[in-house]
């Protein structure tokens, strides 16, 4: 393979000769095998020696954790234990509705932790995942890729990093070790704390979208992976041609192009977009029928995001949408006014607020943060040519926050047109969260007081209109 792709691959087959086999021990189905070990470290050390019982013990440890992904990690360890002779682990999986694979002839590997190398890398962050702790996938200018495992402190250190925009240089060490999330023994690259340096691209440059590799389009067989890769490659060329056309313009011309009513019309008209929509049919059906995709296909959604695409779904429909912020982030030739708008609002606040259920994927707290960003922009840049646009976004957001999004009212008929107590409590908390935005805070407080005084019932038309006018006034006067 000429992609120079460094990946976190299981090395079970390569290390099989180094195993230390352990005979299966009889255990009650519900037994907590982890309790046999003095602590997590002793259990882990036994697993490093290829002890299948220790694999089940680590599964027990994670199964009883309160972490949101604890049971998912436990399943991985149980499966490995079950496939290496642990009948009790197989029964635990069965009670979780999971069938383990057939028993393996080769034993679990010996996998002591050891350092095998080190290196440095500079590239753009293509994506972050939480499937393997927290991993940055980077690509350099030559198309080489590297997956680097981060720790919590490292993530905090690199928090200012803007994905798909900034370049990141870092150092890493390569270690062979058991992976807690995959229960596999293999080499992984770990970030060296304090070595990261974030660098903005040079002014006037345009960052092209990366090429599509065969590994990128892996979907567990759900999609036509070859067709997806071919279509995405064509889409990447379409995006890069669009970016090249932007780079040929002056900042003022770029402003005019992006501020028009249909700045992405040529992209939406590209035949390859319709082709991609058809290729993604199995994912679209999953989103409509199940409200989400399975873990095996979650990577495809991240891949689409990498190429400025999103499957935007609501009740009974799925659209393939071009995410404009993913495009604009790569255009460095922006006027100061447009750059200010983009950095403060455009990159973080969605620009789709229509009478549909599209916003239901955002909680009230998130919508409140979006509105706060709009308020800050209107206060800090009232003369900006983008103030009208941001004012309209603020107005739409506050309408949804206070009254719900049509046809879904905050005062539901099945609840006797009462506002839910939890929603009212959350609105009250939002009102106290934005002291730097006093007008927004006072509006939220006055609205909550009015609803509470009305017994949580829907306000009269006149009173509701009063609050709608206040929202419009705030959006227009700032």
């Amino acid at each position: 393979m000429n992609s120079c792709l460094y990946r976190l691959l299981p090395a079970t087959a390569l290390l099989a000769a180094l195993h230390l086999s352990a005979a299966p021990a009889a255990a009650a189905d519900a037994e907590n095998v982890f309790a046999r070990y003095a602590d997590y470290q002793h259990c882990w050390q036994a697993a490093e020696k290829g002890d299948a019982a220790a694999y089940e013990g680590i599964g027990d440890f994670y199964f009883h954790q309160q972490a949101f992904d604890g049971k998912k990690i436990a399943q991985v360890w149980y499966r490995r234990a079950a496939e290496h002779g642990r009948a009790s682990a197989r029964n635990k999986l069965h009670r979780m509705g999971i069938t383990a694979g057939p028993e393996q002839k080769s034993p679990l590997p010996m996998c002591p932790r050891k350092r095998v190398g080190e290196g440095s890398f500079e590239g753009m962050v293509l994506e972050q995942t939480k499937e393997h702790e927290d991993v940055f996938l980077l690509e350099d200018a030559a198309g080489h890729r590297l997956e680097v495992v981060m720790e919590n402190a490292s993530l905090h250190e690199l928090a200012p990093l803007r994905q798909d925009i900034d370049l990141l240089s870092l150092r890493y060490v390569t270690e062979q070790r058991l992976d807690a999330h995959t229960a596999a023994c293999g080499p992984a690259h770990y970030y060296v704390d304090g070595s990261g340096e974030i660098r903005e691209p040079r002014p006037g440059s345009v960052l092209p979208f990366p090429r599509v590799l065969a590994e990128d389009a892996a979907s567990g067989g759900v999609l036509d992976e070859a067709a997806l890769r071919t279509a995405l490659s064509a889409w990447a060329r379409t995006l890069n041609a669009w970016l090249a056309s932007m780079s040929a313009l002056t900042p003022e011309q770029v402003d005019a192009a992006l501020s028009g009513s249909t700045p992405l019309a040529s992209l939406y008209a590209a035949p390859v977009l319709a082709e991609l929509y058809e290729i993604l049919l199995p994912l679209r059906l999953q989103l409509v029928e199940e409200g989400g995709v399975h873990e095996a296909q979650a990577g495809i959604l991240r891949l689409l995001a990498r190429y400025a695409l999103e499957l935007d779904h609501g009740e009974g429909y799925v659209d393939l949408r071009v995410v404009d912020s993913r495009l604009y982030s790569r255009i460095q030739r922006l006027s100061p006014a447009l750059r200010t708008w983009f950095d403060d609002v455009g990159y973080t606040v969605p620009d789709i607020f229509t009478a549909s259920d599209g916003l239901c994927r955002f909680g009230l707290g998130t919508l409140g943060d979006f509105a706060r960003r709009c308020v800050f922009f209107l206060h800090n840049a009232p003369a900006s040519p983008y103030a009208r646009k941001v004012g309209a976004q603020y107005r739409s957001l506050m309408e949804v926050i206070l009254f719900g999004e049509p046809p879904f009212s905050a005062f539901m008929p099945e609840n006797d047109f009462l506002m839910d107590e939890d929603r009212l409590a959350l609105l009250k908390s939002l009102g106290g969260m934005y002291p730097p935005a006093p007008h927004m805070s006072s509006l939220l407080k006055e609205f909550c007081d009015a609803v509470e005084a009305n017994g949580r019932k829907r306000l009269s038309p006149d009173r509701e209109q009063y609050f709608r006018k206040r929202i419009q006034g705030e959006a227009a006067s700032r």
Side-chain angles (χ1 to χ4, degrees):
M1 178 167 45
N2 61 4
S3 65
C4 302
L5 174 63
Y6 305 91
R7 298 185 66 92
L8 307 176
L9 294 175
T12 304
L14 296 176
L15 300 174
L18 302 176
H19 75 276
L20 176 65
S21 60
D29 290 350
E31 179 187 359
N32 184 348
V33 177
F34 179 74
R36 298 181 186 178
Y37 298 88
D39 53 32
Y40 184 84
Q41 182 178 359
H42 284 81
C43 187
W44 187 267
Q45 289 173 343
E48 288 179 331
K49 296 177 181 178
D51 184 350
Y55 274 66
E56 183 177 350
I58 293 174
D60 289 337
F61 172 83
Y62 282 107
F63 183 85
H64 295 289
Q65 295 302 300
Q66 297 301 314
F68 74 95
D69 59 349
K71 288 184 173 57
K72 183 172 72 173
I73 297 174
Q75 292 169 12
V76 176
W77 288 90
Y78 286 155
R79 183 177 285 111
R80 296 274 283 164
E83 292 171 357
H84 288 83
R86 296 292 299 178
S88 52
R90 190 175 292 273
N91 289 336
K92 290 172 183 176
L93 284 172
H94 180 72
R95 286 196 298 274
M96 298 168 75
I98 298 170
T99 302
E103 189 166 336
Q104 304 292 313
K105 294 182 179 179
S106 58
L108 288 163
M110 250 183 103
C111 191
R113 178 174 174 174
K114 64 180 180 180
R115 181 169 175 154
V116 295
E118 60 183 60
S120 60
F121 200 87
E122 178 178 270
M124 183 190 305
V125 177
L126 299 182
E127 65 182 44
Q128 273 181 264
T129 76
K130 292 185 178 178
E131 294 177 359
H132 177 290
E133 299 181 30
D134 283 280
V135 176
F136 280 4
L137 173 61
L138 298 95
E139 181 173 83
D140 68 11
H144 302 161
R145 293 186 182 179
L146 179 75
E147 286 183 328
V148 181
V149 183
M150 315 298 291
E151 307 293 345
N152 289 335
S154 307
L155 289 170
H156 180 73
E157 173 192 337
L158 299 178
L161 180 72
R162 297 175 299 174
Q163 185 171 310
D164 286 341
I165 305 177
D166 296 325
L167 297 175
L168 173 64
S169 61
L170 52 79
R171 289 187 292 112
Y172 63 89
V173 296
T174 304
E175 292 184 348
Q176 172 194 280
R177 63 163 84 170
L178 274 176
D179 181 272
H181 285 242
T182 66
C185 177
H189 309 299
Y190 293 87
Y191 173 71
V192 176
D193 286 346
S195 70
E197 182 177 349
I198 301 170
R199 187 161 56 81
E200 292 185 1
R202 65 183 185 276
S205 65
V206 172
L207 302 174
F209 282 86
R211 61 197 175 118
V212 186
L213 303 182
E215 298 91 338
D216 295 335
S219 67
V222 172
L223 302 177
D224 185 335
E225 295 173 8
L228 176 62
R229 181 188 176 192
T230 299
L232 266 182
S233 297
W235 175 247
R237 291 193 294 272
T238 301
L239 293 178
N240 288 333
W242 186 87
L243 287 172
S245 70
M246 291 293 105
S247 68
L249 303 178
T250 66
E252 291 73 21
Q253 290 171 327
V254 172
D255 278 23
L258 300 185
S259 302
S261 58
T262 56
L264 304 181
S266 63
L267 295 177
Y268 275 105
V272 68
L273 197 63
E275 183 181 345
L276 277 167
Y277 189 66
E278 292 306 313
I279 293 171
L280 296 168
L281 176 61
L283 263 67
R284 290 162 42 209
L285 292 176
Q286 283 185 26
L287 287 168
V288 170
E289 296 172 2
E290 303 177 30
V293 298
H294 304 307
E295 183 178 352
Q297 290 82 56
I300 297 297
L301 298 184
R302 294 195 302 272
L303 176 64
L304 294 177
R306 191 190 303 168
Y307 291 92
L309 291 173
E310 170 181 88
L311 284 176
D312 187 26
H313 65 99
E315 188 173 346
Y317 78 91
V318 178
D319 288 329
L320 185 59
R321 190 171 75 86
V322 181
V323 184
D324 54 7
S325 62
R326 291 269 179 171
L327 288 173
Y328 297 174
S329 66
R330 292 171 179 264
I331 304 173
Q332 301 303 307
R333 191 166 299 204
L334 304 177
S335 70
L338 182 56
R339 174 58 66 190
T340 299
W341 165 79
F342 181 78
D343 287 343
D344 293 348
V345 178
Y347 189 62
T348 51
V349 180
D351 196 23
I352 294 185
F353 301 109
T354 57
S356 72
D357 63 347
L359 275 182
C360 290
R361 64 182 183 275
F362 297 120
L364 281 177
T366 302
L367 295 178
D369 185 63
F370 291 160
R372 176 187 59 81
R373 289 178 181 273
C374 292
V375 167
F376 285 173
F377 180 88
L378 294 172
H379 277 259
N380 295 332
S384 170
Y386 300 94
R388 182 186 297 270
K389 176 184 180 71
V390 176
Q393 287 178 282
Y394 172 77
R395 184 166 58 250
S396 298
L397 283 163
M398 291 304 295
E399 291 263 348
V400 171
I401 290 171
L402 297 190
F403 305 111
E405 185 181 16
F408 302 100
S409 171
F411 303 88
M412 298 302 289
E414 60 267 26
N415 198 26
D416 296 326
F417 293 98
L418 295 176
M419 178 177 284
D420 182 83
E421 290 185 29
D422 291 340
R423 182 186 180 98
L424 181 58
L426 183 53
L427 283 179
K428 284 183 177 181
S429 70
L430 289 181
M433 287 173 62
Y434 308 121
H439 297 279
M440 179 177 168
S441 291
S442 65
L443 173 60
L444 284 165
K445 184 179 185 306
E446 185 177 352
F447 179 81
C448 290
D449 289 346
V451 171
E452 196 164 40
N454 202 41
R456 291 191 290 115
K457 296 179 182 177
R458 183 169 185 172
L459 301 177
S460 68
D462 289 345
R463 192 64 173 152
E464 188 172 299
Q465 186 62 21
Y466 160 79
F467 285 106
R468 293 185 187 274
K469 286 184 177 180
R470 273 204 60 182
I471 293 172
Q472 292 173 0
E474 287 297 319
S477 63
R478 297 277 180 273

